[in-house]
Amino acid sequence: MINKFSADLLVTNGTVVTMDGEDSVVENGAVAVKGEAIVAVGREDELTAFKASKIIDADGGIIMPGLINSHTHAAMTIFRGLADDLPLMTWLNDHIFPAEAGLTPEKVYDGALLACAEMILSGTTCFCDMYLFEDNVAQAAKMAGMRAVVGEVLFDFPSPNYGSLEKGFAYTEMLVEKYRNDPLINIAVEPHSPYLCAPGLLQKASLLAQKNDLLLVIHVSETKSEISEINEKYGLTPVGFLASLGVLSSNLLACHCVHLTEDDIALLKKHDVKVAHNPESNMKLASGIAPVPELLKQGICVGIGTDGCASNNNLDLFHEMSMAAKLGKVFTHDPAVMDAKSVLRMATIGGARALGLSGITGSLETGKKADIIILDTHKPHLTPIYSPVSHLVYAARGSDVTTSVINGKLIMEDRKLLSFDIAKAAGKVMEIAKDICKKRAEACKS
Amino acid sequence: MINKFSADLLVTNGTVVTMDGEDSVVENGAVAVKGEAIVAVGREDELTAFKASKIIDADGGIIMPGLINSHTHAAMTIFRGLADDLPLMTWLNDHIFPAEAGLTPEKVYDGALLACAEMILSGTTCFCDMYLFEDNVAQAAKMAGMRAVVGEVLFDFPSPNYGSLEKGFAYTEMLVEKYRNDPLINIAVEPHSPYLCAPGLLQKASLLAQKNDLLLVIHVSETKSEISEINEKYGLTPVGFLASLGVLSSNLLACHCVHLTEDDIALLKKHDVKVAHNPESNMKLASGIAPVPELLKQGICVGIGTDGCASNNNLDLFHEMSMAAKLGKVFTHDPAVMDAKSVLRMATIGGARALGLSGITGSLETGKKADIIILDTHKPHLTPIYSPVSHLVYAARGSDVTTSVINGKLIMEDRKLLSFDIAKAAGKVMEIAKDICKKRAEACKS
């Protein structure tokens, strides 16, 4: 006989910010977990029947869904702070591209593992990645115990990983097979951008995604120079160009979307395209400000991402939420847009929808996988509390997260990472950095 | 016989980011402190002669000057998250002003003390405050062991503190006398703004400041409605209006300066007026974006402030630096402006200059008062390190600060605040918040 009240893990004594359809906030709340899944969410006095082998006391803090980083290049932690404050093309051509030429599968694994540590320690439980050697990123995520959507970046020139484009597609198909039933890893097809991918590549990628019901991820309309280039080549905007190829669809995640026309926005809406907003990277590279308040007004699904560490330079989604909310307000001259609840949705359930994972994560609801974080609110900067949601967006920091449960498994407790040795992972990345510095001593003086 | 190598405190084993005139960065560095003052800064192997009763091992982290918050309203911690995402006038008239009507000296003390805890825990050692009951803010700063510039806000309507304006000036003069030789507290004269202060008030305040060699602090050109109002009243910009009254001078700290004309900037430069930049508050209230890159280009001294907690909603200057740098870049479409070094200067030596305190704080130099913080860099989000200065602006968080020395006294060690009981201070503010909630129950639902 199965006891319907049995659980493996009970998180108690906190304010539960569910991010469910009604944005319910439950004071004196608790969450019960069995195996990988949430089996109950409610007031603590409603969940007393649940007996669990492990009980985590949230100590009056906030219990909420883990954050979702909708767009990053995790392994770029190894280039964090290597080159800042430079014109975009100098940054790319003189610093990032040369450094990336020396990448190996091992270095990508090391960089991605360090990124996982940073993400878990700042409340992220799921990320969507685009880079080279993505099999190794998937392995790093699995080692860390994180949920991830990974896809090998595809473009027209030879890749340090797969060489010719044909092999790039074969590599992607290999990933699809390898991770078909993985509990944590989902594979995406990831052509880089309209300016680095010919029409044939984009259409082939789109077909591959549709055939396998995969997410299709692409950078779109990030910079003004991209807009000019695509206009010169095709007489269209990047979004218009993708539309002309039949690539716009509800399984497309368009990252950045900084420079959009009204027609572009109408196209995104019509095809239910998802958007990943990366405010800090767009600001730091001076790319521009994405019209997110307008996208939200139109009902377009928007997630939030950090982009890579070379253009941010951190992976803290609490920081990113604060930035997104404040940037949206000043950009539209309207303090009422990008309210805390809308921005918190972008980093949780909105991100899950953007990645095609809203059936399993992004909110605390019975039946979903247990991706849960706890924040300690006994801190001066979170005192007093009139509204937990306001604090999560405007006052909290990643370092307030004490506990992380991913897919039902306890991954961090009392800020101690349980899945792997951070110092060892950090040591490897420091070795890689030393090597980079040796090769370009002049860049390493502060 | 006096041993010239005796010290009370030796901070060792860190990278010293001095922020001195040459922005020197000293690897394997150390700082020696005797009494209130720094007696040596250099490589550890140059300071071996110093013997100290207390040695703090920075464990390979960053040793740097404490950050300076150039503009805040510390006691407003009690309203943190009370009302967000609202049009400016609704926010002020329906939420902040009614809540402020219930202020007492005790509440201001409690709110300011909590602010001090938050500031120390996030690396700030000195702040410039404008609010009501500033004697109580000064007392809170002294209890916390923080350096502060405080000034009672002056305006044309009756104040909950001093009532009539005459008494406001008398209160300010009382503060000047009371704190004349205080090692931590400096008094400023603080008329609120051109729109809440008549010409007579502004001129009288300016004279009082000049007579006593005090800083004069004022909000200027924060919103477009202020620009319209001053233009209607006087046919001038707010800066032009202050110039016409003879109020612009090198002891004036102009806070916000969001909406400036070319002529305004020329006036600020001509009179060596100092500016406090508050990017997060200006963004959150949708006030606009201050032309800080242009101010810096003109050689105008700019500090950085958080503004009050009701419009931010945190006092973390690391967060504020990241925001300032990124906002400046996207605003000017130039990723090279507001480079990490310039922004770090704004939060340290620039802030000290803005407050008239650059002779005693803002950098680690022999002879200055010892206002020192240490950051733990053994963290994933600060790994690897190519440039400490880049990390301080783009990757570090207030929670990375482990140790704080203010005026030679150890105020925080291993993130434990030594000067007062945080829990008790937080408890008092929670009681105040409960009381506010009782009076306006509807505002307290999240």
Tab-separated table of all heavy atoms in Angstrom, chain A residues 190-221:
chain	number	residue	atom	x	y	z
A	190	GLU	N	20.927	25.312	-32.355
A	190	GLU	CA	21.306	26.693	-32.078
A	190	GLU	C	22.166	27.355	-33.161
A	190	GLU	O	23.376	27.492	-33.024
A	190	GLU	CB	21.997	26.773	-30.698
A	190	GLU	CG	21.165	26.125	-29.581
A	190	GLU	CD	21.416	26.686	-28.187
A	190	GLU	OE1	22.105	27.705	-28.050
A	190	GLU	OE2	20.893	26.080	-27.225
A	191	PRO	N	21.529	27.761	-34.251
A	191	PRO	CA	22.250	28.574	-35.237
A	191	PRO	C	22.593	29.922	-34.606
A	191	PRO	O	21.763	30.489	-33.888
A	191	PRO	CB	21.237	28.738	-36.369
A	191	PRO	CG	19.899	28.557	-35.720
A	191	PRO	CD	20.106	27.584	-34.597
A	192	HIS	N	23.807	30.434	-34.850
A	192	HIS	CA	24.274	31.613	-34.104
A	192	HIS	C	23.412	32.852	-34.289
A	192	HIS	O	22.939	33.460	-33.335
A	192	HIS	CB	25.732	31.928	-34.478
A	192	HIS	CG	26.313	33.071	-33.695
A	192	HIS	ND1	26.127	34.394	-34.071
A	192	HIS	CD2	27.039	33.110	-32.559
A	192	HIS	CE1	26.738	35.179	-33.193
A	192	HIS	NE2	27.293	34.426	-32.270
A	193	SER	N	23.188	33.233	-35.566
A	193	SER	CA	22.525	34.515	-35.838
A	193	SER	C	22.285	34.665	-37.329
A	193	SER	O	22.923	33.994	-38.142
A	193	SER	CB	23.438	35.657	-35.374
A	193	SER	OG	24.671	35.569	-36.079
A	194	PRO	N	21.414	35.577	-37.699
A	194	PRO	CA	21.192	35.828	-39.123
A	194	PRO	C	22.467	36.285	-39.852
A	194	PRO	O	22.617	36.015	-41.030
A	194	PRO	CB	20.142	36.946	-39.120
A	194	PRO	CG	19.425	36.797	-37.827
A	194	PRO	CD	20.467	36.322	-36.854
A	195	TYR	N	23.387	36.934	-39.142
A	195	TYR	CA	24.579	37.443	-39.841
A	195	TYR	C	25.706	36.432	-39.929
A	195	TYR	O	26.648	36.619	-40.701
A	195	TYR	CB	25.067	38.767	-39.242
A	195	TYR	CG	25.488	38.724	-37.789
A	195	TYR	CD1	26.822	38.566	-37.441
A	195	TYR	CD2	24.554	38.862	-36.766
A	195	TYR	CE1	27.210	38.530	-36.101
A	195	TYR	CE2	24.930	38.822	-35.428
A	195	TYR	CZ	26.258	38.655	-35.099
A	195	TYR	OH	26.640	38.606	-33.787
A	196	LEU	N	25.659	35.356	-39.172
A	196	LEU	CA	26.697	34.325	-39.287
A	196	LEU	C	26.160	33.021	-39.871
A	196	LEU	O	26.884	32.033	-39.937
A	196	LEU	CB	27.342	34.033	-37.928
A	196	LEU	CG	28.214	35.122	-37.303
A	196	LEU	CD1	28.911	34.587	-36.049
A	196	LEU	CD2	29.255	35.661	-38.275
A	197	CYS	N	24.890	33.027	-40.269
A	197	CYS	CA	24.285	31.805	-40.796
A	197	CYS	C	23.571	32.112	-42.118
A	197	CYS	O	22.714	32.998	-42.164
A	197	CYS	CB	23.256	31.244	-39.816
A	197	CYS	SG	23.927	30.832	-38.195
A	198	ALA	N	23.909	31.366	-43.154
A	198	ALA	CA	23.256	31.529	-44.453
A	198	ALA	C	21.824	30.990	-44.362
A	198	ALA	O	21.508	30.190	-43.467
A	198	ALA	CB	24.044	30.783	-45.518
A	199	PRO	N	20.963	31.411	-45.295
A	199	PRO	CA	19.569	30.947	-45.279
A	199	PRO	C	19.447	29.420	-45.208
A	199	PRO	O	18.607	28.907	-44.456
A	199	PRO	CB	19.009	31.487	-46.601
A	199	PRO	CG	19.799	32.732	-46.853
A	199	PRO	CD	21.182	32.434	-46.344
A	200	GLY	N	20.298	28.727	-45.943
A	200	GLY	CA	20.214	27.259	-45.951
A	200	GLY	C	20.429	26.672	-44.561
A	200	GLY	O	19.712	25.767	-44.134
A	201	LEU	N	21.424	27.184	-43.882
A	201	LEU	CA	21.716	26.719	-42.517
A	201	LEU	C	20.499	26.939	-41.612
A	201	LEU	O	20.082	26.042	-40.869
A	201	LEU	CB	22.933	27.484	-41.969
A	201	LEU	CG	23.657	26.975	-40.725
A	201	LEU	CD1	24.910	27.803	-40.457
A	201	LEU	CD2	22.813	26.909	-39.474
A	202	LEU	N	19.953	28.141	-41.696
A	202	LEU	CA	18.838	28.493	-40.809
A	202	LEU	C	17.629	27.591	-41.052
A	202	LEU	O	16.992	27.118	-40.105
A	202	LEU	CB	18.457	29.969	-41.005
A	202	LEU	CG	19.531	30.967	-40.533
A	202	LEU	CD1	19.222	32.381	-41.027
A	202	LEU	CD2	19.644	30.943	-39.010
A	203	GLN	N	17.348	27.337	-42.327
A	203	GLN	CA	16.189	26.490	-42.637
A	203	GLN	C	16.419	25.046	-42.204
A	203	GLN	O	15.527	24.394	-41.667
A	203	GLN	CB	15.874	26.572	-44.129
A	203	GLN	CG	15.248	27.930	-44.483
A	203	GLN	CD	15.024	28.118	-45.956
A	203	GLN	OE1	15.901	27.808	-46.764
A	203	GLN	NE2	13.853	28.631	-46.312
A	204	LYS	N	17.643	24.569	-42.428
A	204	LYS	CA	17.957	23.202	-42.030
A	204	LYS	C	17.858	23.050	-40.506
A	204	LYS	O	17.324	22.053	-39.998
A	204	LYS	CB	19.377	22.861	-42.507
A	204	LYS	CG	19.707	21.391	-42.426
A	204	LYS	CD	21.043	21.071	-43.083
A	204	LYS	CE	21.493	19.666	-42.701
A	204	LYS	NZ	22.812	19.323	-43.247
A	205	ALA	N	18.367	24.046	-39.807
A	205	ALA	CA	18.308	24.024	-38.340
A	205	ALA	C	16.855	24.022	-37.870
A	205	ALA	O	16.478	23.264	-36.965
A	205	ALA	CB	19.048	25.229	-37.762
A	206	SER	N	16.048	24.859	-38.515
A	206	SER	CA	14.647	24.955	-38.132
A	206	SER	C	13.925	23.619	-38.367
A	206	SER	O	13.139	23.169	-37.515
A	206	SER	CB	13.984	26.071	-38.936
A	206	SER	OG	12.603	26.110	-38.691
A	207	LEU	N	14.213	22.987	-39.495
A	207	LEU	CA	13.584	21.692	-39.791
A	207	LEU	C	14.000	20.636	-38.771
A	207	LEU	O	13.177	19.844	-38.300
A	207	LEU	CB	13.953	21.227	-41.203
A	207	LEU	CG	13.220	21.951	-42.336
A	207	LEU	CD1	13.783	21.538	-43.699
A	207	LEU	CD2	11.707	21.656	-42.263
A	208	LEU	N	15.298	20.623	-38.449
A	208	LEU	CA	15.803	19.649	-37.474
A	208	LEU	C	15.094	19.833	-36.123
A	208	LEU	O	14.698	18.857	-35.470
A	208	LEU	CB	17.324	19.823	-37.296
A	208	LEU	CG	17.990	18.901	-36.271
A	208	LEU	CD1	17.868	17.438	-36.659
A	208	LEU	CD2	19.469	19.269	-36.095
A	209	ALA	N	14.913	21.098	-35.739
A	209	ALA	CA	14.240	21.382	-34.466
A	209	ALA	C	12.793	20.914	-34.507
A	209	ALA	O	12.308	20.257	-33.574
A	209	ALA	CB	14.316	22.878	-34.157
A	210	GLN	N	12.120	21.245	-35.596
A	210	GLN	CA	10.712	20.865	-35.695
A	210	GLN	C	10.528	19.349	-35.716
A	210	GLN	O	9.641	18.806	-35.055
A	210	GLN	CB	10.081	21.490	-36.944
A	210	GLN	CG	9.641	22.926	-36.685
A	210	GLN	CD	9.244	23.666	-37.940
A	210	GLN	OE1	8.684	23.071	-38.862
A	210	GLN	NE2	9.538	24.945	-37.993
A	211	LYS	N	11.390	18.662	-36.480
A	211	LYS	CA	11.305	17.198	-36.605
A	211	LYS	C	11.420	16.541	-35.226
A	211	LYS	O	10.753	15.556	-34.946
A	211	LYS	CB	12.440	16.712	-37.531
A	211	LYS	CG	12.228	15.310	-38.077
A	211	LYS	CD	13.397	14.850	-38.936
A	211	LYS	CE	14.567	14.426	-38.079
A	211	LYS	NZ	15.760	14.013	-38.860
A	212	ASN	N	12.294	17.085	-34.407
A	212	ASN	CA	12.561	16.462	-33.101
A	212	ASN	C	11.876	17.179	-31.940
A	212	ASN	O	12.161	16.877	-30.784
A	212	ASN	CB	14.071	16.429	-32.851
A	212	ASN	CG	14.782	15.476	-33.789
A	212	ASN	OD1	14.808	14.274	-33.562
A	212	ASN	ND2	15.330	16.013	-34.868
A	213	ASP	N	11.008	18.135	-32.275
A	213	ASP	CA	10.304	18.914	-31.250
A	213	ASP	C	11.279	19.549	-30.256
A	213	ASP	O	11.135	19.422	-29.039
A	213	ASP	CB	9.288	18.012	-30.523
A	213	ASP	CG	8.265	18.853	-29.753
A	213	ASP	OD1	8.111	20.046	-30.092
A	213	ASP	OD2	7.666	18.331	-28.806
A	214	LEU	N	12.291	20.211	-30.815
A	214	LEU	CA	13.324	20.827	-29.986
A	214	LEU	C	13.189	22.347	-30.022
A	214	LEU	O	12.631	22.919	-30.966
A	214	LEU	CB	14.720	20.473	-30.508
A	214	LEU	CG	15.074	19.000	-30.629
A	214	LEU	CD1	16.429	18.836	-31.313
A	214	LEU	CD2	15.088	18.340	-29.249
A	215	LEU	N	13.756	22.970	-29.020
A	215	LEU	CA	13.864	24.419	-29.018
A	215	LEU	C	14.899	24.836	-30.078
A	215	LEU	O	15.920	24.163	-30.262
A	215	LEU	CB	14.334	24.878	-27.636
A	215	LEU	CG	14.306	26.376	-27.335
A	215	LEU	CD1	12.866	26.876	-27.237
A	215	LEU	CD2	15.042	26.659	-26.021
A	216	LEU	N	14.594	25.926	-30.781
A	216	LEU	CA	15.537	26.527	-31.726
A	216	LEU	C	15.981	27.855	-31.109
A	216	LEU	O	15.145	28.692	-30.764
A	216	LEU	CB	14.834	26.758	-33.065
A	216	LEU	CG	15.654	27.293	-34.228
A	216	LEU	CD1	16.630	26.226	-34.745
A	216	LEU	CD2	14.739	27.737	-35.374
A	217	VAL	N	17.294	28.029	-30.927
A	217	VAL	CA	17.800	29.220	-30.231
A	217	VAL	C	18.699	30.018	-31.170
A	217	VAL	O	19.555	29.439	-31.856
A	217	VAL	CB	18.604	28.824	-28.970
A	217	VAL	CG1	19.092	30.062	-28.233
A	217	VAL	CG2	17.770	27.956	-28.043
A	218	ILE	N	18.525	31.322	-31.191
A	218	ILE	CA	19.324	32.159	-32.099
A	218	ILE	C	19.470	33.560	-31.507
A	218	ILE	O	18.590	34.034	-30.782
A	218	ILE	CB	18.641	32.215	-33.500
A	218	ILE	CG1	19.537	32.907	-34.519
A	218	ILE	CG2	17.269	32.882	-33.431
A	218	ILE	CD1	19.053	32.718	-35.960
A	219	HIS	N	20.609	34.203	-31.770
A	219	HIS	CA	20.753	35.635	-31.464
A	219	HIS	C	20.045	36.419	-32.568
A	219	HIS	O	20.285	36.168	-33.743
A	219	HIS	CB	22.233	36.060	-31.514
A	219	HIS	CG	23.113	35.406	-30.493
A	219	HIS	ND1	24.112	34.522	-30.822
A	219	HIS	CD2	23.158	35.529	-29.153
A	219	HIS	CE1	24.746	34.135	-29.708
A	219	HIS	NE2	24.192	34.728	-28.686
A	220	VAL	N	19.235	37.401	-32.196
A	220	VAL	CA	18.526	38.197	-33.221
A	220	VAL	C	18.522	39.677	-32.858
A	220	VAL	O	18.201	40.038	-31.719
A	220	VAL	CB	17.054	37.750	-33.370
A	220	VAL	CG1	16.387	38.510	-34.520
A	220	VAL	CG2	16.937	36.262	-33.616
A	221	SER	N	18.852	40.507	-33.813
A	221	SER	CA	18.717	41.965	-33.672
A	221	SER	C	19.393	42.488	-32.417
A	221	SER	O	18.832	43.272	-31.668
A	221	SER	CB	17.226	42.365	-33.678
A	221	SER	OG	16.631	41.959	-34.874
